[in-house]
Amino acid sequence: MSSSPSALRPLPRPGVLAIEAYVPGKSAAPGVAKIHKLSSNETPLGPSPRAVEALRAESATLALYPDGSAARLREAIGARYGLDPARIVCGAGSDELLTLLALAFVGPGDEGIFCEHGFLVYRIAILTAGGTPVVAPETDLTANVDAILAAVTPRTRIVYLANPNNPTGTYLPFDEVRRLHAGLPGNVLLVLDGAYAEYVRANDYSAGLELALEAGNVVMTRTFSKIHGLAAQRIGWMVGPEGVVDALNRIRGPFNLSAGAIAAGAAAIADEAHIAAAVAHNDEWLVWLTREVDALGLTVTPSVGNFLLVHFSDTPGRSAAEADAHLTKAGVIVRRVTAYGLPDALRVTVGSAESNRAFVAALTDFLGGDRA
């Protein structure tokens, strides 16, 4: 007996409904008049005024399709970093590019590796492509090259490495990144996720771009959502070998960036004074926040990004969950990182001076005003 038409319905392919969707950090605190949002690693300085003006100017062309190649943006990125625009692909945030890389190079039966506390999108991207996620353990909340290499099998097709890592803020020296690359088979794509690259003060960081240009199996992704303050516009970019660039250009949407995003991004990356101001603000307040939280007797993982990871105990009345609830009532919104395997920690963005002080005040109140 055949099924009735009303009983038939389209079903996702096997595995899709088993994917845990990415859940962003919360952004509201009901009943609180003043909100200090420190949950999404957004810059407190906002976007460059040049980017705002460029976006406003594009409102006159809303009826027209944008440039599908994002040439203006790729040229601006190339000019900023001395890169060939032909080696650059732009996307709707670096998230889209991370997923496109998996779709292009991973299939059923293949494996993709990422670190124990790595960005949640890596797992989602690998599963979306039909691959199998493989987690490499970390050491002291930092990527372990030997553990990653030990996880490589003949089925490995892609390795994702966030450097600095989110949500831990830890940094892998570039000698270690080169050692990782040297240990990978040539058919494995190494993806260096540099979402927080502009905040890093280490002298060796620029080597990431160099490796993406000189190696045939390395790419680096970057974003305009953090230091450039354009998260709402969803702008990301990637630099890599011609073969990878060609593959992504074949499968990405034909107009995956709006005209406004292209214009705003090109203006933002050229505003070096605004970028420098954001870096200086972060340098000052990252140190201040780390010192103040440490003085309260809590452990802070050393960070090179624009956020810090604060660790709590599992003692009743002192847990991360209870601290988060207390901070929320005070209007300070931070990020729970239980989904990253860190149930006893909170990630806190470096915010404005007012927001940073509000966080420390609320945290001090939660701990009963005690200071170590």
Side-chain angles (χ1 to χ4, degrees):
M1 179 178 178
S2 61
S3 301
S4 65
S6 61
L8 298 176
R9 58 188 176 90
L11 294 174
R13 63 173 173 78
V16 169
L17 295 183
I19 298 174
E20 294 185 22
Y22 182 84
V23 179
K26 63 179 183 286
S27 58
V32 179
K34 176 69 174 180
I35 298 294
H36 300 279
K37 187 187 176 193
L38 302 177
S39 59
S40 299
N41 299 342
E42 298 149 334
T43 172
L45 271 62
S48 160
R50 297 184 193 176
V52 174
E53 181 54 38
L55 181 60
R56 184 177 293 116
E58 286 300 319
S59 65
T61 63
L62 293 181
L64 306 179
Y65 281 104
D67 169 20
S69 71
R72 177 180 174 187
L73 179 55
R74 290 187 296 108
E75 289 167 2
I77 295 168
R80 174 70 177 80
Y81 291 105
L83 304 173
D84 179 0
R87 301 280 294 274
I88 297 170
V89 181
C90 293
S94 56
D95 294 351
E96 182 189 36
L97 298 170
L98 296 170
T99 300
L100 288 175
L101 288 166
L103 291 173
F105 293 95
V106 177
D110 295 334
E111 295 175 348
I113 299 173
F114 55 92
C115 294
E116 181 180 2
H117 303 297
F119 189 30
L120 296 176
V121 165
Y122 306 149
R123 175 185 290 276
I124 295 172
I126 294 165
L127 289 171
T128 298
T132 300
V134 176
V135 179
E138 297 178 0
T139 301
D140 297 328
L141 301 180
T142 304
N144 182 315
V145 169
D146 292 320
I148 296 172
L149 292 176
V152 174
T153 75
R155 295 181 297 277
T156 304
R157 293 293 176 267
I158 196 168
V159 173
Y160 289 101
L161 178 68
N163 199 29
N165 187 52
N166 169 33
T168 62
T170 51
Y171 177 69
L172 193 67
F174 220 83
D175 283 348
E176 283 293 279
V177 176
R178 286 193 178 276
R179 187 166 75 86
L180 170 61
H181 173 249
L184 291 175
N187 66 334
V188 174
L189 180 64
L190 175 59
V191 181
L192 304 178
D193 181 353
Y196 299 92
E198 293 86 357
Y199 293 107
V200 180
R201 306 270 55 85
N203 292 331
D204 65 349
Y205 197 81
S206 62
L209 290 174
E210 296 170 7
L211 187 59
L213 292 175
E214 67 187 36
N217 64 335
V218 179
V219 301
M220 174 174 261
T221 61
R222 303 280 277 266
T223 183
F224 281 77
S225 297
K226 305 306 177 184
I227 203 165
H228 297 296
L230 291 171
Q233 292 302 302
R234 310 307 304 128
I235 312 168
W237 60 279
M238 182 204 82
V239 62
E242 293 177 0
V244 179
V245 169
D246 180 53
L248 263 61
N249 278 329
R250 291 172 183 269
I251 65 174
R252 67 176 177 82
F255 304 104
N256 60 334
L257 281 185
S258 70
I262 293 169
I269 204 164
D271 192 345
E272 296 188 21
H274 189 77
I275 297 169
V279 170
H281 177 91
N282 194 69
D283 286 348
E284 175 185 356
W285 287 99
L286 182 64
V287 171
W288 185 88
L289 281 167
T290 302
R291 183 180 66 242
E292 292 295 310
V293 174
D294 181 70
L296 291 171
L298 298 175
T299 300
V300 179
T301 297
S303 172
V304 300
N306 70 329
F307 57 89
L308 62 158
L309 191 68
V310 182
H311 299 268
F312 295 80
S313 72
D314 56 4
T315 303
R318 289 291 186 270
S319 70
E322 291 165 298
D324 179 49
H326 183 92
L327 291 167
T328 299
K329 289 181 180 178
V332 179
I333 310 300
V334 298
R335 183 75 148 104
R336 292 294 309 278
V337 285
T338 302
Y340 287 92
L342 297 164
D344 298 323
L346 297 175
R347 192 193 68 193
V348 185
T349 304
V350 176
S352 66
E354 179 186 10
S355 293
N356 295 335
R357 296 186 189 281
F359 163 69
V360 170
L363 187 60
T364 302
D365 184 59
F366 168 71
L367 296 172
D370 297 329
R371 295 177 69 88

